[in-house]
């Protein structure tokens, strides 16, 4: 059956329905010799007769019945695919895979939920990773759109800013620096135990850039963690201070479990970007999400009082 063509399958359906080559040809918009040729090619390929030739017309053999059932299923699958593609064109359906850096997972579900409410038949897939993992997902075409800070410089991408991304210093509420009215400079902070994300994350890049100008005789006292959640728990436990995305601490600031430290030159405000590969055309559903995020994405970002 692998060498059978769609035209041959349609010829079997038409002949089985009408019982005559002439009628089948008329239904298919072909000439009778063309239909006869399609049937002959198929029977030769399969090595078995598909129709009995009777005075009353052509009647299916047992093998013909098997082929007819397969042909009907094939037509049904093609019709279904056609309908789904038409729905995608009209944004009634589709699948969009969004890759977000781990810091963005604190607001991305809000953004996706709002979009799906307006487009309920579109299926969304969310892939979370650090910056390097998200770039790799772009590189391997595993995601349609990325939500991240600094886009990759070794992949040709389209990027558009959809909102600000502030970084702040946090401490346990009873930490001596948490209640200071006067701003602390970064040199004083460098003497503290500092909790940082792993190398490869966007947050680690912000940390290293912010403290790059501080000259120290001794190395920084840092503890590395693999997630923002672990860093927040460590700060609440009194293990140290952390320079962290303000968009990860909305709940903890509201409930008084964490406090902002007044620091000169903070917040560092970066940008949230929508990114997609230029050599991967966005489908209708992904393009709709892109437009929605650009228009309304900023209102789904967390709000931190005082920033």
């Amino acid at each position: 059956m692998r060498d059978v063509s769609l035209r041959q399958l349609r010829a079997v359906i038409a002949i089985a329905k009408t019982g005559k080559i002439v009628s089948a040809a008329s239904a298919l918009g072909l000439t009778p010799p063309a239909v006869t040729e399609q049937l002959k090619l198929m029977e030769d390929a399969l090595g078995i007769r598909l129709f009995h030739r009777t005075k009353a017309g052509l009647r299916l053999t047992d093998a013909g019945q098997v082929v007819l059932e397969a042909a009907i299923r094939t037509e049904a699958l093609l019709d279904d695919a056609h309908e789904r593609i038409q729905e995608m064109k009209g944004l009634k359906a589709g699948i969009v895979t969004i890759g977000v850096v781990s810091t963005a997972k604190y607001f991305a579900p809000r953004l996706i939920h709002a979009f799906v409410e307006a487009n309920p038949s579109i299926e969304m897939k969310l892939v979370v990773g650090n910056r390097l993992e998200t770039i790799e997902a772009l590189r391997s075409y595993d995601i349609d759109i990325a939500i991240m800070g600094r886009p990759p410089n070794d992949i040709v991408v389209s990027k558009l800013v959809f909102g600000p991304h502030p970084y702040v210093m946090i401490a346990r509420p009873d930490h001596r620096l948490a209640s200071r009215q006067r701003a602390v400079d970064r040199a004083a902070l460098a003497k503290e135990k500092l909790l940082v994300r792993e190398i490869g994350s966007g947050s680690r890049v912000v940390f290293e850039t912010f403290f790059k100008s501080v000259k120290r005789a001794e190395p920084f006292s840092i503890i590395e963690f693999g997630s923002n959640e672990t860093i927040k728990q460590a700060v609440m436990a009194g293990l140290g201070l952390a320079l962290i995305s303000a968009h990860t601490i909305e709940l903890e600031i509201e409930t008084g479990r964490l406090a902002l430290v007044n620091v000169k030159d903070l917040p560092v405000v970066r940008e949230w970007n929508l990114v997609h590969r230029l050599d991967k055309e966005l489908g209708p559903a992904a393009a709709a999400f892109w437009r929605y995020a650009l228009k309304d994405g900023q209102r789904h970002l967390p709000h931190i009082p005082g920033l």
Side-chain angles (χ1 to χ4, degrees), residues 99-239:
V100 303
V101 293
S102 53
T103 303
K105 72 181 180 182
Y106 292 89
F107 67 84
R110 303 180 195 176
L111 175 59
I112 291 172
H113 173 70
F115 175 74
V116 170
E117 277 200 323
N119 303 274
S121 296
I122 293 180
E123 180 182 342
M124 303 294 292
K125 295 184 179 180
L126 182 63
V127 180
V128 180
N130 66 22
R131 181 175 183 272
L132 291 182
E133 290 167 338
T134 302
I135 290 174
E136 186 55 37
L138 275 171
R139 193 189 316 281
S140 57
Y141 299 89
D142 291 335
I143 57 178
D144 298 305
I145 296 170
I147 297 177
M148 63 193 308
R150 187 164 51 94
N153 54 22
D154 60 341
I155 304 173
V156 181
V157 299
S158 172
K159 78 172 183 72
L160 288 173
V161 176
F162 76 89
H165 183 193
Y167 276 77
V168 296
M169 187 66 65
I170 57 171
R172 190 161 130 162
D174 60 359
H175 191 281
R176 60 185 176 78
L177 294 181
S179 58
R180 282 193 54 169
Q181 297 299 313
R182 232 173 134 182
V184 181
D185 62 32
R186 66 187 80 188
L189 287 175
K191 299 175 184 177
E192 300 290 326
K193 180 85 70 179
L194 298 171
L195 315 182
V196 300
R197 283 289 303 274
E198 78 282 5
I199 293 174
S201 68
S203 297
R204 183 61 171 265
V205 173
V206 173
F207 173 86
E208 291 175 349
T209 302
F210 183 72
F211 285 103
K212 187 176 181 179
S213 62
V214 177
K215 305 299 182 183
R216 284 177 53 83
E218 300 176 359
F220 283 86
S221 177
I222 65 172
I223 305 177
E224 186 176 295
F225 296 90
S227 73
N228 292 313
E229 283 303 310
T230 310
I231 285 180
K232 290 190 293 182
Q233 291 297 322
V235 173
M236 285 187 275
L239 198 55

Side-chain angles (χ1 to χ4, degrees), residues 21-81:
I21 294 290
V22 172
S23 300
S26 177
L28 293 170
L30 300 172
T31 64
V35 174
T36 299
E37 178 65 15
Q38 292 300 324
L39 178 57
K40 182 177 184 304
L41 288 172
M42 191 169 192
E43 289 182 330
D44 288 346
L46 296 176
I48 195 169
R49 298 288 292 274
L50 301 182
F51 289 92
H52 295 296
R53 277 68 172 173
T54 71
K55 292 181 180 180
L58 298 176
R59 296 290 181 266
L60 286 165
T61 63
D62 289 344
Q65 185 62 43
V66 171
V67 171
L68 175 65
E69 291 172 1
I72 291 172
R73 288 198 301 272
T74 300
E75 282 287 336
L77 286 172
L78 289 172
D79 289 342
D80 180 63

